[in-house]
């Protein structure tokens, strides 16, 4: 049965990575698509390539945080890891299908917490979860500040040649955001593979995560790209550059520290800051309220369903 659980864990982790890729197209390419600089095919292809690079080269700290930082490594068995990743993947897939942006970082963390509570594992509330919570609260705030600063800076350049060049700058910034997505989010899907000892190389674990995230973007990334690019964001080029750069920088710093955070929360905060810099309201308030409520509900749902899934499957399979 151990081999069965190892295979199940790998499949569940890959499934989660695929849902991450499909879920974040709007967060990293929504501004370029919304301003009609990139079409869907080019946006998702660029995202896939740069997410793979970010995952392979710089997702290692995030992998370690989730793999061994929330519950002790001795409590992570292939069976438990399978439940953690399956739960996170299912909740993400449902939200993607509903076209509701959420935080996969928070879902992954609370899936681990839910299984940890079900098994009686000690949770690193103070050492890991508290810094993560501070990071999550600070993400939209820092994104807002940086979005404001970068938009103000970009807006000072008025020359006609510079205005044309800004289109290419936005594409580069979106690629930077995609690289950051790989560094920040792809590790979520493979963290338990590393934590359980199934994959021992951080570089290889990151590569696996990057591949499945890229596949997710290419195969099911259209829905949220359109939702964010056409219905949540109404934005011009200067603000698009400032907001996307503010988001990417905020999340990249968090990833380097090993604290995975939300690309969606960062871009919402950054777009808000860009709007303040331009003296306009870019974000549709009704949509934002829907997203914020869903974020909080998703955390509770993720922990609860992980707890229940573990109890049900451990009873059915006679596994602890």
């Amino acid at each position: 049965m151990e081999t069965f659980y190892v295979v199940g864990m790998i499949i569940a982790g890959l499934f989660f990575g695929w849902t991450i890729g499909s879920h974040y197209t709007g967060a990293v390419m929504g501004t370029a698509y919304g301003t009609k600089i990139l079409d869907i095919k080019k946006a998702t292809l660029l995202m896939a390539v740069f997410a793979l690079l970010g995952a392979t080269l710089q997702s290692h700290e995030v992998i370690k945080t989730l793999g061994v930082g929330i519950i002790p490594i001795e409590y992570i068995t292939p069976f438990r890891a399978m439940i953690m990743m399956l739960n996170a993947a299912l909740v993400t897939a449902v939200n993607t299908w509903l076209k509701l942006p959420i935080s996969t970082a928070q879902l992954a963390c609370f899936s681990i917490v839910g299984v940890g509570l079900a098994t009686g594992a000690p949770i690193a509330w103070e050492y890991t979860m508290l810094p993560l919570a501070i990071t999550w609260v600070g993400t939209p705030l820092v994104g807002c500040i940086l979005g404001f600063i970068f938009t103000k800076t970009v807006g000072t350049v008025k020359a006609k040649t510079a205005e044309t060049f800004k289109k290419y700058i936005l594409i580069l910034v979106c690629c930077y955001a995609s690289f950051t997505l790989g560094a920040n989010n792809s590790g979520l899907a493979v963290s338990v593979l590393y934590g359980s000892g199934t994959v021992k190389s951080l570089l290889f674990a990151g590569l696996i995560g990057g591949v499945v995230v890229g596949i997710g973007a290419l195969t099911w990334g259209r829905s949220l790209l359109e939702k964010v690019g056409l219905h949540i964001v109404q934005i011009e080029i200067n603000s698009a550059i400032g907001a996307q750069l503010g988001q990417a920088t905020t999340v990249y710093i968090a990833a380097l520290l090993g604290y995975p955070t939300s690309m969606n929360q960062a871009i919402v905060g950054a777009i808000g800051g860009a709007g303040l810099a331009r003296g306009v309201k870019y974000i549709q308030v009704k949509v934002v309220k829907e997203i914020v409520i869903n974020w909080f509900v998703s955390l509770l749902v993720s922990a609860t369903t992980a707890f229940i899934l573990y109890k049900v499957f451990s009873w059915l399979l006679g596994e602890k």
Side-chain angles (χ1 to χ4, degrees), residues 146-159 162-163 166 169 236-243 245 274 277-278 282:
L146 292 180
F148 180 89
I149 293 172
F150 289 140
T151 301
K152 279 287 188 183
T153 303
V154 174
T156 59
V157 182
K158 301 293 186 182
E163 291 298 319
K166 284 178 183 178
I169 294 177
E236 47 79 42
I237 187 75
N238 292 326
S239 299
I241 294 171
L245 187 57
R278 302 290 289 179
Y282 282 131

Side-chain angles (χ1 to χ4, degrees), residues 265-309:
Q265 292 173 7
I267 193 62
V268 169
I271 291 173
L276 290 174
R278 302 290 289 179
V280 295
K281 186 182 293 185
Y282 282 131
I283 302 178
Q284 299 174 19
V285 177
K286 179 181 178 181
V287 176
V288 173
K289 287 181 179 178
E290 177 184 279
I291 293 171
V292 171
I293 293 172
N294 189 59
W295 280 339
F296 287 104
V297 171
S298 295
L299 296 184
L300 296 175
V301 169
S302 181
T304 303
T305 53
F307 185 96
I308 294 172
L309 274 178

Side-chain angles (χ1 to χ4, degrees), residues 107 186 248 255 271:
L107 290 184
S186 65
I271 291 173

Side-chain angles (χ1 to χ4, degrees), residues 203-215:
L203 187 69
F204 185 55
L207 175 63
I208 295 171
V211 169
V212 291
V213 166
I215 293 172

Side-chain angles (χ1 to χ4, degrees), residues 52-95:
L52 174 61
L53 290 173
T56 305
L57 300 175
Q58 291 202 300
S59 64
H60 308 159
E61 294 304 315
V62 170
I63 292 173
K64 287 190 286 187
T65 296
L66 267 74
V68 298
I70 297 178
I71 62 177
I73 191 170
E74 59 267 23
Y75 284 87
I76 302 178
T77 65
F79 171 71
R80 294 172 181 177
M82 177 183 72
I83 299 300
M84 294 170 186
M85 292 298 96
L86 178 62
N87 181 75
L90 290 173
V91 176
T92 303
V94 168
N95 279 276

Side-chain angles (χ1 to χ4, degrees), residues 106 110 125 128-139 259-261 265:
Q106 294 170 9
F110 275 84
W125 294 111
T128 301
M129 294 305 294
L130 179 59
L132 281 171
I134 293 171
T135 302
W136 296 337
V137 171
T139 291
Y259 296 127
T261 190
Q265 292 173 7

